[in-house]
mmCIF file with all atom_site columns, all heavy atoms in Angstrom:
data_model
loop_
_atom_site.group_PDB
_atom_site.id
_atom_site.type_symbol
_atom_site.label_atom_id
_atom_site.label_alt_id
_atom_site.label_comp_id
_atom_site.label_asym_id
_atom_site.label_entity_id
_atom_site.label_seq_id
_atom_site.pdbx_PDB_ins_code
_atom_site.Cartn_x
_atom_site.Cartn_y
_atom_site.Cartn_z
_atom_site.occupancy
_atom_site.B_iso_or_equiv
_atom_site.pdbx_formal_charge
_atom_site.auth_seq_id
_atom_site.auth_comp_id
_atom_site.auth_asym_id
_atom_site.auth_atom_id
_atom_site.pdbx_PDB_model_num
ATOM 1   N N   . THR Z 1 23 ? 13.249 -2.258  -5.568  1.00 97.00 ? 23 THR Z N   1
ATOM 2   C CA  . THR Z 1 23 ? 13.361 -3.684  -5.271  1.00 97.00 ? 23 THR Z CA  1
ATOM 3   C C   . THR Z 1 23 ? 14.285 -4.340  -6.284  1.00 97.00 ? 23 THR Z C   1
ATOM 4   O O   . THR Z 1 23 ? 14.942 -3.642  -7.059  1.00 97.00 ? 23 THR Z O   1
ATOM 5   C CB  . THR Z 1 23 ? 11.961 -4.349  -5.266  1.00 97.00 ? 23 THR Z CB  1
ATOM 6   O OG1 . THR Z 1 23 ? 12.078 -5.682  -4.773  1.00 97.00 ? 23 THR Z OG1 1
ATOM 7   C CG2 . THR Z 1 23 ? 11.334 -4.344  -6.637  1.00 97.00 ? 23 THR Z CG2 1
ATOM 8   N N   . THR Z 1 24 ? 14.334 -5.647  -6.283  1.00 96.00 ? 24 THR Z N   1
ATOM 9   C CA  . THR Z 1 24 ? 15.139 -6.379  -7.255  1.00 96.00 ? 24 THR Z CA  1
ATOM 10  C C   . THR Z 1 24 ? 14.294 -7.437  -7.947  1.00 96.00 ? 24 THR Z C   1
ATOM 11  O O   . THR Z 1 24 ? 13.333 -7.965  -7.376  1.00 96.00 ? 24 THR Z O   1
ATOM 12  C CB  . THR Z 1 24 ? 16.350 -7.073  -6.596  1.00 96.00 ? 24 THR Z CB  1
ATOM 13  O OG1 . THR Z 1 24 ? 15.888 -7.930  -5.556  1.00 96.00 ? 24 THR Z OG1 1
ATOM 14  C CG2 . THR Z 1 24 ? 17.323 -6.068  -6.021  1.00 96.00 ? 24 THR Z CG2 1
ATOM 15  N N   . ILE Z 1 25 ? 14.675 -7.708  -9.192  1.00 97.00 ? 25 ILE Z N   1
ATOM 16  C CA  . ILE Z 1 25 ? 14.057 -8.752  -10.006 1.00 97.00 ? 25 ILE Z CA  1
ATOM 17  C C   . ILE Z 1 25 ? 15.148 -9.734  -10.386 1.00 97.00 ? 25 ILE Z C   1
ATOM 18  O O   . ILE Z 1 25 ? 16.267 -9.340  -10.707 1.00 97.00 ? 25 ILE Z O   1
ATOM 19  C CB  . ILE Z 1 25 ? 13.439 -8.160  -11.285 1.00 97.00 ? 25 ILE Z CB  1
ATOM 20  C CG1 . ILE Z 1 25 ? 12.186 -7.361  -10.946 1.00 97.00 ? 25 ILE Z CG1 1
ATOM 21  C CG2 . ILE Z 1 25 ? 13.120 -9.247  -12.312 1.00 97.00 ? 25 ILE Z CG2 1
ATOM 22  C CD1 . ILE Z 1 25 ? 11.576 -6.640  -12.125 1.00 97.00 ? 25 ILE Z CD1 1
ATOM 23  N N   . VAL Z 1 26 ? 14.811 -11.016 -10.358 1.00 97.00 ? 26 VAL Z N   1
ATOM 24  C CA  . VAL Z 1 26 ? 15.714 -12.047 -10.876 1.00 97.00 ? 26 VAL Z CA  1
ATOM 25  C C   . VAL Z 1 26 ? 15.067 -12.599 -12.133 1.00 97.00 ? 26 VAL Z C   1
ATOM 26  O O   . VAL Z 1 26 ? 13.932 -13.086 -12.095 1.00 97.00 ? 26 VAL Z O   1
ATOM 27  C CB  . VAL Z 1 26 ? 15.956 -13.167 -9.838  1.00 97.00 ? 26 VAL Z CB  1
ATOM 28  C CG1 . VAL Z 1 26 ? 16.860 -14.241 -10.417 1.00 97.00 ? 26 VAL Z CG1 1
ATOM 29  C CG2 . VAL Z 1 26 ? 16.543 -12.586 -8.557  1.00 97.00 ? 26 VAL Z CG2 1
ATOM 30  N N   . ASP Z 1 27 ? 15.790 -12.467 -13.280 1.00 94.00 ? 27 ASP Z N   1
ATOM 31  C CA  . ASP Z 1 27 ? 15.213 -12.934 -14.547 1.00 94.00 ? 27 ASP Z CA  1
ATOM 32  C C   . ASP Z 1 27 ? 15.458 -14.421 -14.740 1.00 94.00 ? 27 ASP Z C   1
ATOM 33  O O   . ASP Z 1 27 ? 16.047 -15.084 -13.882 1.00 94.00 ? 27 ASP Z O   1
ATOM 34  C CB  . ASP Z 1 27 ? 15.718 -12.101 -15.730 1.00 94.00 ? 27 ASP Z CB  1
ATOM 35  C CG  . ASP Z 1 27 ? 17.194 -12.317 -16.038 1.00 94.00 ? 27 ASP Z CG  1
ATOM 36  O OD1 . ASP Z 1 27 ? 17.851 -13.199 -15.437 1.00 94.00 ? 27 ASP Z OD1 1
ATOM 37  O OD2 . ASP Z 1 27 ? 17.710 -11.590 -16.908 1.00 94.00 ? 27 ASP Z OD2 1
ATOM 38  N N   . GLY Z 1 30 ? 18.908 -15.767 -14.224 1.00 95.00 ? 30 GLY Z N   1
ATOM 39  C CA  . GLY Z 1 30 ? 19.495 -15.659 -12.901 1.00 95.00 ? 30 GLY Z CA  1
ATOM 40  C C   . GLY Z 1 30 ? 20.123 -14.303 -12.614 1.00 95.00 ? 30 GLY Z C   1
ATOM 41  O O   . GLY Z 1 30 ? 20.713 -14.116 -11.557 1.00 95.00 ? 30 GLY Z O   1
ATOM 42  N N   . ARG Z 1 31 ? 19.983 -13.339 -13.534 1.00 95.00 ? 31 ARG Z N   1
ATOM 43  C CA  . ARG Z 1 31 ? 20.531 -11.999 -13.293 1.00 95.00 ? 31 ARG Z CA  1
ATOM 44  C C   . ARG Z 1 31 ? 19.646 -11.236 -12.311 1.00 95.00 ? 31 ARG Z C   1
ATOM 45  O O   . ARG Z 1 31 ? 18.432 -11.281 -12.411 1.00 95.00 ? 31 ARG Z O   1
ATOM 46  C CB  . ARG Z 1 31 ? 20.621 -11.197 -14.592 1.00 95.00 ? 31 ARG Z CB  1
ATOM 47  C CG  . ARG Z 1 31 ? 21.558 -11.784 -15.601 1.00 95.00 ? 31 ARG Z CG  1
ATOM 48  C CD  . ARG Z 1 31 ? 21.595 -10.953 -16.865 1.00 95.00 ? 31 ARG Z CD  1
ATOM 49  N NE  . ARG Z 1 31 ? 20.235 -10.859 -17.415 1.00 95.00 ? 31 ARG Z NE  1
ATOM 50  C CZ  . ARG Z 1 31 ? 19.831 -9.917  -18.255 1.00 95.00 ? 31 ARG Z CZ  1
ATOM 51  N NH1 . ARG Z 1 31 ? 20.674 -8.975  -18.645 1.00 95.00 ? 31 ARG Z NH1 1
ATOM 52  N NH2 . ARG Z 1 31 ? 18.607 -9.909  -18.726 1.00 95.00 ? 31 ARG Z NH2 1
ATOM 53  N N   . GLU Z 1 32 ? 20.274 -10.543 -11.378 1.00 96.00 ? 32 GLU Z N   1
ATOM 54  C CA  . GLU Z 1 32 ? 19.549 -9.714  -10.428 1.00 96.00 ? 32 GLU Z CA  1
ATOM 55  C C   . GLU Z 1 32 ? 19.579 -8.279  -10.941 1.00 96.00 ? 32 GLU Z C   1
ATOM 56  O O   . GLU Z 1 32 ? 20.644 -7.719  -11.183 1.00 96.00 ? 32 GLU Z O   1
ATOM 57  C CB  . GLU Z 1 32 ? 20.181 -9.803  -9.043  1.00 96.00 ? 32 GLU Z CB  1
ATOM 58  C CG  . GLU Z 1 32 ? 19.301 -9.228  -7.965  1.00 96.00 ? 32 GLU Z CG  1
ATOM 59  C CD  . GLU Z 1 32 ? 19.748 -9.617  -6.582  1.00 96.00 ? 32 GLU Z CD  1
ATOM 60  O OE1 . GLU Z 1 32 ? 19.799 -10.830 -6.288  1.00 96.00 ? 32 GLU Z OE1 1
ATOM 61  O OE2 . GLU Z 1 32 ? 20.044 -8.704  -5.798  1.00 96.00 ? 32 GLU Z OE2 1
ATOM 62  N N   . LEU Z 1 33 ? 18.381 -7.685  -11.133 1.00 97.00 ? 33 LEU Z N   1
ATOM 63  C CA  . LEU Z 1 33 ? 18.254 -6.371  -11.739 1.00 97.00 ? 33 LEU Z CA  1
ATOM 64  C C   . LEU Z 1 33 ? 17.500 -5.423  -10.817 1.00 97.00 ? 33 LEU Z C   1
ATOM 65  O O   . LEU Z 1 33 ? 16.621 -5.848  -10.064 1.00 97.00 ? 33 LEU Z O   1
ATOM 66  C CB  . LEU Z 1 33 ? 17.486 -6.485  -13.065 1.00 97.00 ? 33 LEU Z CB  1
ATOM 67  C CG  . LEU Z 1 33 ? 18.075 -7.476  -14.069 1.00 97.00 ? 33 LEU Z CG  1
ATOM 68  C CD1 . LEU Z 1 33 ? 17.047 -7.830  -15.126 1.00 97.00 ? 33 LEU Z CD1 1
ATOM 69  C CD2 . LEU Z 1 33 ? 19.327 -6.896  -14.693 1.00 97.00 ? 33 LEU Z CD2 1
ATOM 70  N N   . GLU Z 1 34 ? 17.840 -4.133  -10.886 1.00 97.00 ? 34 GLU Z N   1
ATOM 71  C CA  . GLU Z 1 34 ? 17.147 -3.131  -10.095 1.00 97.00 ? 34 GLU Z CA  1
ATOM 72  C C   . GLU Z 1 34 ? 15.782 -2.850  -10.713 1.00 97.00 ? 34 GLU Z C   1
ATOM 73  O O   . GLU Z 1 34 ? 15.641 -2.828  -11.933 1.00 97.00 ? 34 GLU Z O   1
ATOM 74  C CB  . GLU Z 1 34 ? 17.964 -1.845  -10.036 1.00 97.00 ? 34 GLU Z CB  1
ATOM 75  C CG  . GLU Z 1 34 ? 19.257 -2.014  -9.292  1.00 97.00 ? 34 GLU Z CG  1
ATOM 76  C CD  . GLU Z 1 34 ? 20.047 -0.718  -9.220  1.00 97.00 ? 34 GLU Z CD  1
ATOM 77  O OE1 . GLU Z 1 34 ? 19.463 0.370   -9.430  1.00 97.00 ? 34 GLU Z OE1 1
ATOM 78  O OE2 . GLU Z 1 34 ? 21.241 -0.803  -8.949  1.00 97.00 ? 34 GLU Z OE2 1
ATOM 79  N N   . ALA Z 1 35 ? 14.788 -2.617  -9.838  1.00 97.00 ? 35 ALA Z N   1
ATOM 80  C CA  . ALA Z 1 35 ? 13.434 -2.360  -10.311 1.00 97.00 ? 35 ALA Z CA  1
ATOM 81  C C   . ALA Z 1 35 ? 12.730 -1.409  -9.349  1.00 97.00 ? 35 ALA Z C   1
ATOM 82  O O   . ALA Z 1 35 ? 13.195 -1.179  -8.233  1.00 97.00 ? 35 ALA Z O   1
ATOM 83  C CB  . ALA Z 1 35 ? 12.653 -3.667  -10.429 1.00 97.00 ? 35 ALA Z CB  1
ATOM 84  N N   . TRP Z 1 36 ? 11.592 -0.894  -9.815  1.00 98.00 ? 36 TRP Z N   1
ATOM 85  C CA  . TRP Z 1 36 ? 10.738 -0.017  -9.022  1.00 98.00 ? 36 TRP Z CA  1
ATOM 86  C C   . TRP Z 1 36 ? 9.303  -0.507  -9.188  1.00 98.00 ? 36 TRP Z C   1
ATOM 87  O O   . TRP Z 1 36 ? 8.866  -0.769  -10.300 1.00 98.00 ? 36 TRP Z O   1
ATOM 88  C CB  . TRP Z 1 36 ? 10.889 1.420   -9.518  1.00 98.00 ? 36 TRP Z CB  1
ATOM 89  C CG  . TRP Z 1 36 ? 9.862  2.358   -9.000  1.00 98.00 ? 36 TRP Z CG  1
ATOM 90  C CD1 . TRP Z 1 36 ? 9.900  3.013   -7.798  1.00 98.00 ? 36 TRP Z CD1 1
ATOM 91  C CD2 . TRP Z 1 36 ? 8.652  2.764   -9.635  1.00 98.00 ? 36 TRP Z CD2 1
ATOM 92  N NE1 . TRP Z 1 36 ? 8.772  3.798   -7.660  1.00 98.00 ? 36 TRP Z NE1 1
ATOM 93  C CE2 . TRP Z 1 36 ? 7.995  3.663   -8.791  1.00 98.00 ? 36 TRP Z CE2 1
ATOM 94  C CE3 . TRP Z 1 36 ? 8.063  2.449   -10.853 1.00 98.00 ? 36 TRP Z CE3 1
ATOM 95  C CZ2 . TRP Z 1 36 ? 6.781  4.243   -9.102  1.00 98.00 ? 36 TRP Z CZ2 1
ATOM 96  C CZ3 . TRP Z 1 36 ? 6.845  3.029   -11.166 1.00 98.00 ? 36 TRP Z CZ3 1
ATOM 97  C CH2 . TRP Z 1 36 ? 6.228  3.925   -10.293 1.00 98.00 ? 36 TRP Z CH2 1
ATOM 98  N N   . PHE Z 1 45 ? 1.017  -6.745  -10.205 1.00 97.00 ? 45 PHE Z N   1
ATOM 99  C CA  . PHE Z 1 45 ? 1.690  -5.489  -9.905  1.00 97.00 ? 45 PHE Z CA  1
ATOM 100 C C   . PHE Z 1 45 ? 2.117  -4.819  -11.207 1.00 97.00 ? 45 PHE Z C   1
ATOM 101 O O   . PHE Z 1 45 ? 2.139  -5.437  -12.268 1.00 97.00 ? 45 PHE Z O   1
ATOM 102 C CB  . PHE Z 1 45 ? 2.911  -5.720  -9.011  1.00 97.00 ? 45 PHE Z CB  1
ATOM 103 C CG  . PHE Z 1 45 ? 3.938  -6.634  -9.612  1.00 97.00 ? 45 PHE Z CG  1
ATOM 104 C CD1 . PHE Z 1 45 ? 4.982  -6.132  -10.391 1.00 97.00 ? 45 PHE Z CD1 1
ATOM 105 C CD2 . PHE Z 1 45 ? 3.860  -7.997  -9.433  1.00 97.00 ? 45 PHE Z CD2 1
ATOM 106 C CE1 . PHE Z 1 45 ? 5.907  -6.981  -10.965 1.00 97.00 ? 45 PHE Z CE1 1
ATOM 107 C CE2 . PHE Z 1 45 ? 4.795  -8.854  -10.000 1.00 97.00 ? 45 PHE Z CE2 1
ATOM 108 C CZ  . PHE Z 1 45 ? 5.822  -8.339  -10.769 1.00 97.00 ? 45 PHE Z CZ  1
ATOM 109 N N   . ALA Z 1 47 ? 5.430  -2.459  -12.580 1.00 98.00 ? 47 ALA Z N   1
ATOM 110 C CA  . ALA Z 1 47 ? 6.792  -2.104  -12.198 1.00 98.00 ? 47 ALA Z CA  1
ATOM 111 C C   . ALA Z 1 47 ? 7.568  -1.572  -13.399 1.00 98.00 ? 47 ALA Z C   1
ATOM 112 O O   . ALA Z 1 47 ? 7.106  -1.654  -14.536 1.00 98.00 ? 47 ALA Z O   1
ATOM 113 C CB  . ALA Z 1 47 ? 7.505  -3.324  -11.606 1.00 98.00 ? 47 ALA Z CB  1
ATOM 114 N N   . GLU Z 1 48 ? 8.742  -1.045  -13.113 1.00 98.00 ? 48 GLU Z N   1
ATOM 115 C CA  . GLU Z 1 48 ? 9.709  -0.664  -14.137 1.00 98.00 ? 48 GLU Z CA  1
ATOM 116 C C   . GLU Z 1 48 ? 11.017 -1.330  -13.778 1.00 98.00 ? 48 GLU Z C   1
ATOM 117 O O   . GLU Z 1 48 ? 11.322 -1.540  -12.609 1.00 98.00 ? 48 GLU Z O   1
ATOM 118 C CB  . GLU Z 1 48 ? 9.904  0.847   -14.175 1.00 98.00 ? 48 GLU Z CB  1
ATOM 119 C CG  . GLU Z 1 48 ? 8.706  1.603   -14.668 1.00 98.00 ? 48 GLU Z CG  1
ATOM 120 C CD  . GLU Z 1 48 ? 8.952  3.102   -14.745 1.00 98.00 ? 48 GLU Z CD  1
ATOM 121 O OE1 . GLU Z 1 48 ? 10.108 3.551   -14.560 1.00 98.00 ? 48 GLU Z OE1 1
ATOM 122 O OE2 . GLU Z 1 48 ? 7.985  3.828   -14.996 1.00 98.00 ? 48 GLU Z OE2 1
ATOM 123 N N   . CYS Z 1 49 ? 11.801 -1.646  -14.810 1.00 96.00 ? 49 CYS Z N   1
ATOM 124 C CA  . CYS Z 1 49 ? 13.075 -2.326  -14.586 1.00 96.00 ? 49 CYS Z CA  1
ATOM 125 C C   . CYS Z 1 49 ? 14.116 -1.750  -15.525 1.00 96.00 ? 49 CYS Z C   1
ATOM 126 O O   . CYS Z 1 49 ? 13.781 -1.163  -16.556 1.00 96.00 ? 49 CYS Z O   1
ATOM 127 C CB  . CYS Z 1 49 ? 12.913 -3.829  -14.827 1.00 96.00 ? 49 CYS Z CB  1
ATOM 128 S SG  . CYS Z 1 49 ? 14.394 -4.786  -14.431 1.00 96.00 ? 49 CYS Z SG  1
ATOM 129 N N   . GLU Z 1 50 ? 15.396 -1.933  -15.178 1.00 92.00 ? 50 GLU Z N   1
ATOM 130 C CA  . GLU Z 1 50 ? 16.484 -1.444  -16.022 1.00 92.00 ? 50 GLU Z CA  1
ATOM 131 C C   . GLU Z 1 50 ? 16.635 -2.257  -17.310 1.00 92.00 ? 50 GLU Z C   1
ATOM 132 O O   . GLU Z 1 50 ? 17.362 -1.863  -18.202 1.00 92.00 ? 50 GLU Z O   1
ATOM 133 C CB  . GLU Z 1 50 ? 17.797 -1.454  -15.241 1.00 92.00 ? 50 GLU Z CB  1
ATOM 134 C CG  . GLU Z 1 50 ? 18.222 -2.846  -14.771 1.00 92.00 ? 50 GLU Z CG  1
ATOM 135 C CD  . GLU Z 1 50 ? 19.465 -2.833  -13.927 1.00 92.00 ? 50 GLU Z CD  1
ATOM 136 O OE1 . GLU Z 1 50 ? 20.482 -2.245  -14.353 1.00 92.00 ? 50 GLU Z OE1 1
ATOM 137 O OE2 . GLU Z 1 50 ? 19.434 -3.413  -12.828 1.00 92.00 ? 50 GLU Z OE2 1
ATOM 138 N N   . PHE Z 1 53 ? 11.747 -6.843  -20.801 1.00 92.00 ? 53 PHE Z N   1
ATOM 139 C CA  . PHE Z 1 53 ? 11.484 -8.273  -20.807 1.00 92.00 ? 53 PHE Z CA  1
ATOM 140 C C   . PHE Z 1 53 ? 10.469 -8.611  -21.887 1.00 92.00 ? 53 PHE Z C   1
ATOM 141 O O   . PHE Z 1 53 ? 9.568  -7.828  -22.161 1.00 92.00 ? 53 PHE Z O   1
ATOM 142 C CB  . PHE Z 1 53 ? 10.902 -8.729  -19.468 1.00 92.00 ? 53 PHE Z CB  1
ATOM 143 C CG  . PHE Z 1 53 ? 11.805 -8.533  -18.296 1.00 92.00 ? 53 PHE Z CG  1
ATOM 144 C CD1 . PHE Z 1 53 ? 11.537 -7.554  -17.350 1.00 92.00 ? 53 PHE Z CD1 1
ATOM 145 C CD2 . PHE Z 1 53 ? 12.923 -9.323  -18.128 1.00 92.00 ? 53 PHE Z CD2 1
ATOM 146 C CE1 . PHE Z 1 53 ? 12.365 -7.373  -16.260 1.00 92.00 ? 53 PHE Z CE1 1
ATOM 147 C CE2 . PHE Z 1 53 ? 13.752 -9.152  -17.045 1.00 92.00 ? 53 PHE Z CE2 1
ATOM 148 C CZ  . PHE Z 1 53 ? 13.481 -8.175  -16.106 1.00 92.00 ? 53 PHE Z CZ  1
ATOM 149 N N   . ILE Z 1 59 ? 9.554  -14.136 -13.972 1.00 97.00 ? 59 ILE Z N   1
ATOM 150 C CA  . ILE Z 1 59 ? 10.569 -13.473 -13.155 1.00 97.00 ? 59 ILE Z CA  1
ATOM 151 C C   . ILE Z 1 59 ? 10.302 -13.783 -11.692 1.00 97.00 ? 59 ILE Z C   1
ATOM 152 O O   . ILE Z 1 59 ? 9.237  -14.288 -11.332 1.00 97.00 ? 59 ILE Z O   1
ATOM 153 C CB  . ILE Z 1 59 ? 10.558 -11.946 -13.375 1.00 97.00 ? 59 ILE Z CB  1
ATOM 154 C CG1 . ILE Z 1 59 ? 9.183  -11.366 -12.987 1.00 97.00 ? 59 ILE Z CG1 1
ATOM 155 C CG2 . ILE Z 1 59 ? 10.940 -11.584 -14.806 1.00 97.00 ? 59 ILE Z CG2 1
ATOM 156 C CD1 . ILE Z 1 59 ? 9.129  -9.859  -12.925 1.00 97.00 ? 59 ILE Z CD1 1
ATOM 157 N N   . ARG Z 1 60 ? 11.267 -13.461 -10.859 1.00 97.00 ? 60 ARG Z N   1
ATOM 158 C CA  . ARG Z 1 60 ? 11.084 -13.470 -9.409  1.00 97.00 ? 60 ARG Z CA  1
ATOM 159 C C   . ARG Z 1 60 ? 11.329 -12.044 -8.937  1.00 97.00 ? 60 ARG Z C   1
ATOM 160 O O   . ARG Z 1 60 ? 12.258 -11.390 -9.399  1.00 97.00 ? 60 ARG Z O   1
ATOM 161 C CB  . ARG Z 1 60 ? 12.044 -14.453 -8.745  1.00 97.00 ? 60 ARG Z CB  1
ATOM 162 C CG  . ARG Z 1 60 ? 11.714 -15.892 -9.084  1.00 97.00 ? 60 ARG Z CG  1
ATOM 163 C CD  . ARG Z 1 60 ? 12.599 -16.908 -8.358  1.00 97.00 ? 60 ARG Z CD  1
ATOM 164 N NE  . ARG Z 1 60 ? 14.026 -16.665 -8.420  1.00 97.00 ? 60 ARG Z NE  1
ATOM 165 C CZ  . ARG Z 1 60 ? 14.835 -17.077 -9.395  1.00 97.00 ? 60 ARG Z CZ  1
ATOM 166 N NH1 . ARG Z 1 60 ? 14.351 -17.738 -10.423 1.00 97.00 ? 60 ARG Z NH1 1
ATOM 167 N NH2 . ARG Z 1 60 ? 16.122 -16.825 -9.345  1.00 97.00 ? 60 ARG Z NH2 1
ATOM 168 N N   . ILE Z 1 61 ? 10.475 -11.553 -8.040  1.00 97.00 ? 61 ILE Z N   1
ATOM 169 C CA  . ILE Z 1 61 ? 10.568 -10.177 -7.576  1.00 97.00 ? 61 ILE Z CA  1
ATOM 170 C C   . ILE Z 1 61 ? 10.236 -10.112 -6.092  1.00 97.00 ? 61 ILE Z C   1
ATOM 171 O O   . ILE Z 1 61 ? 9.411  -10.885 -5.606  1.00 97.00 ? 61 ILE Z O   1
ATOM 172 C CB  . ILE Z 1 61 ? 9.627  -9.254  -8.387  1.00 97.00 ? 61 ILE Z CB  1
ATOM 173 C CG1 . ILE Z 1 61 ? 9.782  -7.785  -7.979  1.00 97.00 ? 61 ILE Z CG1 1
ATOM 174 C CG2 . ILE Z 1 61 ? 8.186  -9.720  -8.291  1.00 97.00 ? 61 ILE Z CG2 1
ATOM 175 C CD1 . ILE Z 1 61 ? 9.083  -6.802  -8.893  1.00 97.00 ? 61 ILE Z CD1 1
ATOM 176 N N   . ASP Z 1 62 ? 10.907 -9.213  -5.381  1.00 94.00 ? 62 ASP Z N   1
ATOM 177 C CA  . ASP Z 1 62 ? 10.611 -8.957  -3.972  1.00 94.00 ? 62 ASP Z CA  1
ATOM 178 C C   . ASP Z 1 62 ? 9.562  -7.855  -3.907  1.00 94.00 ? 62 ASP Z C   1
ATOM 179 O O   . ASP Z 1 62 ? 9.816  -6.725  -4.329  1.00 94.00 ? 62 ASP Z O   1
ATOM 180 C CB  . ASP Z 1 62 ? 11.870 -8.529  -3.215  1.00 94.00 ? 62 ASP Z CB  1
ATOM 181 C CG  . ASP Z 1 62 ? 12.881 -9.654  -3.099  1.00 94.00 ? 62 ASP Z CG  1
ATOM 182 O OD1 . ASP Z 1 62 ? 12.455 -10.779 -2.776  1.00 94.00 ? 62 ASP Z OD1 1
ATOM 183 O OD2 . ASP Z 1 62 ? 14.075 -9.419  -3.325  1.00 94.00 ? 62 ASP Z OD2 1
ATOM 184 N N   . ARG Z 1 68 ? 9.496  -12.536 -1.756  1.00 96.00 ? 68 ARG Z N   1
ATOM 185 C CA  . ARG Z 1 68 ? 9.824  -12.918 -3.135  1.00 96.00 ? 68 ARG Z CA  1
ATOM 186 C C   . ARG Z 1 68 ? 8.716  -13.795 -3.713  1.00 96.00 ? 68 ARG Z C   1
ATOM 187 O O   . ARG Z 1 68 ? 8.313  -14.775 -3.105  1.00 96.00 ? 68 ARG Z O   1
ATOM 188 C CB  . ARG Z 1 68 ? 11.148 -13.653 -3.192  1.00 96.00 ? 68 ARG Z CB  1
ATOM 189 C CG  . ARG Z 1 68 ? 11.544 -13.940 -4.645  1.00 96.00 ? 68 ARG Z CG  1
ATOM 190 C CD  . ARG Z 1 68 ? 12.988 -14.183 -4.841  1.00 96.00 ? 68 ARG Z CD  1
ATOM 191 N NE  . ARG Z 1 68 ? 13.711 -12.939 -4.719  1.00 96.00 ? 68 ARG Z NE  1
ATOM 192 C CZ  . ARG Z 1 68 ? 15.001 -12.826 -4.944  1.00 96.00 ? 68 ARG Z CZ  1
ATOM 193 N NH1 . ARG Z 1 68 ? 15.708 -13.874 -5.289  1.00 96.00 ? 68 ARG Z NH1 1
ATOM 194 N NH2 . ARG Z 1 68 ? 15.604 -11.680 -4.810  1.00 96.00 ? 68 ARG Z NH2 1
ATOM 195 N N   . LEU Z 1 73 ? 5.066  -11.819 -16.948 1.00 97.00 ? 73 LEU Z N   1
ATOM 196 C CA  . LEU Z 1 73 ? 4.776  -10.548 -17.600 1.00 97.00 ? 73 LEU Z CA  1
ATOM 197 C C   . LEU Z 1 73 ? 3.573  -10.681 -18.512 1.00 97.00 ? 73 LEU Z C   1
ATOM 198 O O   . LEU Z 1 73 ? 3.518  -11.586 -19.345 1.00 97.00 ? 73 LEU Z O   1
ATOM 199 C CB  . LEU Z 1 73 ? 5.987  -10.070 -18.398 1.00 97.00 ? 73 LEU Z CB  1
ATOM 200 C CG  . LEU Z 1 73 ? 6.969  -9.229  -17.588 1.00 97.00 ? 73 LEU Z CG  1
ATOM 201 C CD1 . LEU Z 1 73 ? 7.670  -10.028 -16.546 1.00 97.00 ? 73 LEU Z CD1 1
ATOM 202 C CD2 . LEU Z 1 73 ? 7.898  -8.490  -18.480 1.00 97.00 ? 73 LEU Z CD2 1
ATOM 203 N N   . PHE Z 1 81 ? 6.054  -2.483  -17.017 1.00 97.00 ? 81 PHE Z N   1
ATOM 204 C CA  . PHE Z 1 81 ? 5.320  -3.713  -17.316 1.00 97.00 ? 81 PHE Z CA  1
ATOM 205 C C   . PHE Z 1 81 ? 4.353  -4.058  -16.202 1.00 97.00 ? 81 PHE Z C   1
ATOM 206 O O   . PHE Z 1 81 ? 4.473  -3.577  -15.076 1.00 97.00 ? 81 PHE Z O   1
ATOM 207 C CB  . PHE Z 1 81 ? 6.288  -4.880  -17.552 1.00 97.00 ? 81 PHE Z CB  1
ATOM 208 C CG  . PHE Z 1 81 ? 7.110  -5.243  -16.348 1.00 97.00 ? 81 PHE Z CG  1
ATOM 209 C CD1 . PHE Z 1 81 ? 6.649  -6.170  -15.427 1.00 97.00 ? 81 PHE Z CD1 1
ATOM 210 C CD2 . PHE Z 1 81 ? 8.349  -4.658  -16.130 1.00 97.00 ? 81 PHE Z CD2 1
ATOM 211 C CE1 . PHE Z 1 81 ? 7.407  -6.514  -14.316 1.00 97.00 ? 81 PHE Z CE1 1
ATOM 212 C CE2 . PHE Z 1 81 ? 9.119  -4.985  -15.026 1.00 97.00 ? 81 PHE Z CE2 1
ATOM 213 C CZ  . PHE Z 1 81 ? 8.640  -5.911  -14.118 1.00 97.00 ? 81 PHE Z CZ  1
#
Side-chain angles (χ1 to χ4, degrees):
T23 189
T24 56
I25 288 175
V26 178
D27 69 7
R31 297 180 302 159
E32 193 166 300
L33 305 163
E34 294 181 18
W36 167 84
F45 59 91
E48 292 182 8
C49 185
E50 61 184 308
F53 297 108
I59 60 170
R60 292 184 311 273
I61 184 170
D62 292 315
R68 185 159 287 185
L73 272 68
F81 64 89

